[in-house]
Amino acid sequence: MKTITKIIATSAAVVALFFTTNANAQSRNLGIGLNVGAGTTTGYGLVIGGDIRYQFNVDKQLSIPVTAGYNNFSRKDSFGGGSFGIIPVKAGAKYFFNDSGAGAYGLAELGAGFGTTKGSGTSFVYSPAIGYAWSNGLDLAAKYEGYSNNGSIGFVGIRLAYGFSL
């Protein structure tokens, strides 16, 4: 699959999320986040990216997030330098530890990661996180994101996001 086809498919999925409604949805169901981290695989350094997440709220404690974004992995000079990108598309479960719909939470997501360089293919993505969401829309999480495709790479980092109401 060519890079442009992957980008178009991901964009179409994100646009489809904007037109999906849930009559019981809580406020702040759309979030835009910044991801920053460090590669956990030998030879990889800084990882930086962004994402957009839509949450289908089941109740005040449980939601089903669908996330799409872009992450750029930099290679250390001693391993050839340069960088490459991955477009992760994930779905999962987010559980708040209290019934207010804010505060501490745990999150687990699974999906696919589409490499943006020729021949990079598609990876299985898994991403556990713990975080804290404030009622004003700010959200801060510590996360790990792993990619598996004939070997594995990953990063540990933080996601800082802001949630909007639709």
Side-chain angles (χ1 to χ4, degrees):
M1 190 186 282
K2 294 188 177 195
T3 301
I4 191 69
T5 306
K6 292 176 195 176
I7 293 170
I8 291 170
T10 302
S11 299
V14 170
V15 169
L17 290 175
F18 284 118
F19 293 105
T20 304
T21 60
N22 182 350
N24 298 320
Q26 300 169 5
S27 63
R28 312 241 185 243
N29 49 1
L30 178 68
I32 296 175
L34 171 68
N35 298 297
V36 178
T40 57
T41 308
T42 302
Y44 294 95
L46 178 68
V47 178
I48 189 163
D51 62 41
I52 186 166
R53 176 179 291 159
Y54 186 84
Q55 293 183 164
F56 299 91
N57 297 302
V58 176
D59 60 28
K60 284 195 177 272
Q61 286 185 276
L62 180 65
S63 65
I64 307 300
V66 178
T67 308
Y70 177 82
N71 290 316
N72 185 283
F73 285 75
S74 63
R75 290 188 187 105
K76 295 180 180 176
D77 289 337
S78 58
F79 288 86
S83 66
F84 69 93
I86 296 179
I87 299 169
V89 179
K90 307 172 287 186
K94 183 177 185 179
Y95 182 78
F96 285 95
F97 298 119
N98 65 46
D99 62 1
S100 70
Y105 64 84
L107 170 70
E109 293 179 297
L110 301 173
F114 304 99
T116 60
T117 56
K118 186 175 181 174
S120 58
T122 302
S123 302
F124 171 70
V125 178
Y126 51 99
S127 183
I130 56 170
Y132 194 91
W134 287 268
S135 58
N136 65 1
L138 287 178
D139 187 324
L140 180 64
K143 66 185 279 182
Y144 174 79
E145 189 156 301
Y147 298 88
S148 180
N149 176 8
N150 297 324
S152 294
I153 63 169
F155 72 94
V156 63
I158 59 170
R159 177 181 187 262
L160 178 61
Y162 184 77
F164 300 91
S165 300
L166 283 183

